[in-house]
Amino acid sequence: MPRVLTAVGITKRFNAFTAVADVDFHLDANEAVGIVGPNGAGKTTLLNVLAGSYPPTAGTVTFGGADVSRSNAADRCRLGIARSHQIPRPFGNMTVFENVFVAASMGAGAAREQAYDGSIESLRLCGMLAIANRKAETLGLLDRKRLELARALATGPQILLLDEIGGGLTDAEAAELVTIIRELRGRGIAIVWIEHILHVLLQVVERLVCMDAGRIIAQGVPEEALAHPAVVEAYLGSGVT
Amino acid sequence: MWFDQILQGVLLGGYYALLACGLSFMFGVMRIVNLAHGSIAVLSAFVVLSIAEAFHISPFLALVVALPIMAAAGWLLQVTILERSLRSGSLTPLLSTFGLAVVLDNAMFQKFGANTHSLDIGDLAFASWNVTPDIAIGQLALLTFVVAVALLGGLQLFLSRTPLGRAIRATSEDPDTAELVGIDSRRAYAAAAAIAIATVAIAGTFLAMRATFDPYTGPTQLIFAFEAVVIGGTGSLWGTLIGGIALGVAQNIGSQISPQGFLIAGHAVFFVVLAARFFIAGRDPRTLIRALRRAPA
């Protein structure tokens, strides 16, 4: 599998606080990687650096062979990196369709007809066609999460960065999202997924990256990564001897 | 006679709506109350006047030349002043545009002096159609009204139907998220500012056609524009048209009641609407209408 995204030596500091410290990360085409770790481990910060929401303090991000470390989120989105928020942020005064359509026409750079088709396809995949004309601010949590997915999808991404998209949902609702996300993988989209709900995450990803205090402490096949002593300690604390 | 006053008030309201268009657009999209709005309108009038005199062309033609210039000025205004101001909270743009108004007014005074000016449009300034022996409709007034409706309607269509319009709306709601769907939010805002200032240029030209102006005309025009925006509901373009008409009608009826009633009546309507807003939740004028309908039941 060709490598699509490579991040080397990523460090992000906010004043004196180091949120991400010298992290190496890579993603192959059509791969699904989960990121887990305690709160404050730097997962979301890493995702933001990959998406271009802010520049890294040090390190480089390479996407599709080109260095994108200095390009902003809008440019990276047009190149093929899409991201969803932990707390959904729909454009509330616009309809569901408009939310997705603006992503299809700006993010995917599609002309009117293609953007229209792309929007319909994204909405269909995420099961939102029936409510396409509702105002986004009237949606409930599950539909808002679906909309985050549909909107990210409409930008025509090669890789999709998901931030706790299962958070706050019931198991049945999370299962619906898993079905959608698996469908996206089937279409050749690589996925990076931060999630606290492990049994949901493990239905999709084949590699797990465990972070703590801004560093990667273990990674690999999910069962092995989770059994790593450093991961056990980060989650459960060290044993009393 | 009352019918005539109301009709003239509606036409005057068209001028106020035209004046308020840029202010309303800027507030609705960028959450900026542009206190330099009136001064920029007067600056546009001077630009159009200078072009018309230099090339001996009609003010309408001069306006066509001035539009891209003012749009570029709007773009510059956004990237140099407003963008920085917006980053430091909602109060800062208020202060920086106030400062800009002072600078513009005095710079224009320095350059053009205290004399009053007007754009020469020949007979159009006085020509009118007699509908009945008692009622005459001024051609310029009607033209102003038509331009106002076309401009507000055009902007509304632009925002809802075009890719750039949708990008501007998305940016207006959440600039960070807009970036994540591929919208360059800085450019979207700059484009919005360019459009807003271009509409101000149109308003400034009509101001200079219908009346005289001098470098310090801006602030009084700002007040009328501001009142039209607030009466109609901030951020709503059609509301601005209604607000402008309400203001114009109130002023004309006020002037019938008392010779000094013209301005007072306008301000009174503004005050009543503002007070009503404080008591009735919601910024949407429809909320107010619904509340009024419910009241008798």
Side-chain angles (χ1 to χ4, degrees), chain B residues 135-205:
Chain B
I135 298 175
I137 293 179
Q139 292 184 3
L140 179 62
L142 188 64
L143 179 66
T144 311
F145 188 86
V146 169
V147 168
V149 173
L151 197 60
L152 287 162
L155 278 180
Q156 193 79 56
L157 271 179
F158 163 76
L159 283 177
S160 58
R161 295 289 169 83
T162 65
L164 180 59
R166 271 186 294 264
I168 287 174
R169 278 163 64 210
T171 307
S172 148
E173 287 205 37
D174 187 339
D176 294 335
T177 304
E179 291 267 332
L180 289 177
V181 297
I183 297 165
D184 187 333
S185 53
R186 289 186 58 207
R187 280 182 58 185
Y189 267 161
I195 292 164
I197 300 304
T199 69
V200 180
I202 298 174
T205 306

Side-chain angles (χ1 to χ4, degrees), chain B residues 60-149:
Chain B
F60 290 103
L61 210 55
L63 172 61
V64 174
V65 180
L67 273 181
I69 299 174
M70 293 311 292
W75 185 288
L76 268 178
L77 176 70
Q78 170 64 20
V79 297
T80 54
I81 298 175
L82 298 181
E83 190 183 289
R84 287 155 206 265
S85 315
L86 268 175
R87 250 180 263 145
S88 26
S90 55
L91 193 62
T92 319
L94 213 58
L95 293 172
S96 55
T97 53
F98 177 72
L100 181 67
V102 173
V103 171
L104 278 180
D105 289 352
N106 290 295
M108 285 188 286
F109 178 66
Q110 185 82 21
K111 175 88 174 74
F112 300 103
N115 289 343
T116 57
H117 304 264
S118 185
L119 282 172
D120 182 14
I121 47 171
D123 289 343
L124 183 60
F126 314 102
S128 64
W129 290 292
N130 285 322
V131 184
T132 70
D134 296 328
I135 298 175
I137 293 179
Q139 292 184 3
L140 179 62
L142 188 64
L143 179 66
T144 311
F145 188 86
V146 169
V147 168
V149 173

Side-chain angles (χ1 to χ4, degrees), chain A residues 120-143:
Chain A
I120 297 287
E121 177 64 7
S122 303
L123 288 172
R124 196 189 59 74
L125 259 175
C126 300
M128 300 196 82
L129 268 185
I131 50 171
N133 288 324
R134 266 175 65 184
K135 257 195 177 186
E137 65 186 2
T138 66
L139 298 180
L141 182 64
L142 177 62
D143 283 334

Side-chain angles (χ1 to χ4, degrees), chain B:
Chain B
M1 184 201 72
W2 283 103
F3 178 75
D4 186 39
Q5 286 307 320
I6 291 171
L7 183 68
Q8 303 304 331
V10 169
L11 291 175
L12 177 63
Y15 165 68
Y16 290 145
L18 180 60
L19 194 63
C21 179
L23 193 70
S24 177
F25 186 76
M26 222 172 198
F27 182 79
V29 169
M30 299 149 85
R31 303 281 139 196
I32 290 176
V33 176
N34 178 14
L35 290 182
H37 181 84
S39 305
I40 295 173
V42 173
L43 174 69
S44 314
F46 273 117
V47 170
V48 170
L49 181 70
S50 305
I51 294 172
E53 283 182 349
F55 300 104
H56 304 289
I57 53 176
S58 130
F60 290 103
L61 210 55
L63 172 61
V64 174
V65 180
L67 273 181
I69 299 174
M70 293 311 292
W75 185 288
L76 268 178
L77 176 70
Q78 170 64 20
V79 297
T80 54
I81 298 175
L82 298 181
E83 190 183 289
R84 287 155 206 265
S85 315
L86 268 175
R87 250 180 263 145
S88 26
S90 55
L91 193 62
T92 319
L94 213 58
L95 293 172
S96 55
T97 53
F98 177 72
L100 181 67
V102 173
V103 171
L104 278 180
D105 289 352
N106 290 295
M108 285 188 286
F109 178 66
Q110 185 82 21
K111 175 88 174 74
F112 300 103
N115 289 343
T116 57
H117 304 264
S118 185
L119 282 172
D120 182 14
I121 47 171
D123 289 343
L124 183 60
F126 314 102
S128 64
W129 290 292
N130 285 322
V131 184
T132 70
D134 296 328
I135 298 175
I137 293 179
Q139 292 184 3
L140 179 62
L142 188 64
L143 179 66
T144 311
F145 188 86
V146 169
V147 168
V149 173
L151 197 60
L152 287 162
L155 278 180
Q156 193 79 56
L157 271 179
F158 163 76
L159 283 177
S160 58
R161 295 289 169 83
T162 65
L164 180 59
R166 271 186 294 264
I168 287 174
R169 278 163 64 210
T171 307
S172 148
E173 287 205 37
D174 187 339
D176 294 335
T177 304
E179 291 267 332
L180 289 177
V181 297
I183 297 165
D184 187 333
S185 53
R186 289 186 58 207
R187 280 182 58 185
Y189 267 161
I195 292 164
I197 300 304
T199 69
V200 180
I202 298 174
T205 306
F206 277 88
L207 155 75
M209 285 177 187
R210 59 180 289 125
T212 59
F213 66 99
D214 64 60
Y216 295 111
T217 306
T220 47
Q221 299 300 309
L222 170 70
I223 289 174
F224 293 139
F226 189 75
E227 288 184 341
V229 171
V230 172
I231 293 171
T234 46
S236 154
L237 288 171
W238 286 124
T240 299
L241 180 65
I242 293 167
I245 290 173
L247 183 64
V249 171
Q251 287 182 343
N252 267 11
I253 290 178
S255 69
Q256 286 301 301
I257 296 168
S258 148
Q260 287 88 32
F262 186 79
L263 289 176
I264 302 271
H267 295 327
V269 167
F270 166 73
F271 178 76
V272 167
V273 171
L274 199 60
R277 288 263 162 70
F278 277 113
F279 288 110
I280 299 162
R283 287 169 298 170
D284 197 328
R286 281 170 296 188
T287 319
L288 181 69
I289 293 165
R290 259 184 250 125
L292 288 176
R293 275 194 193 138
R294 236 178 270 133

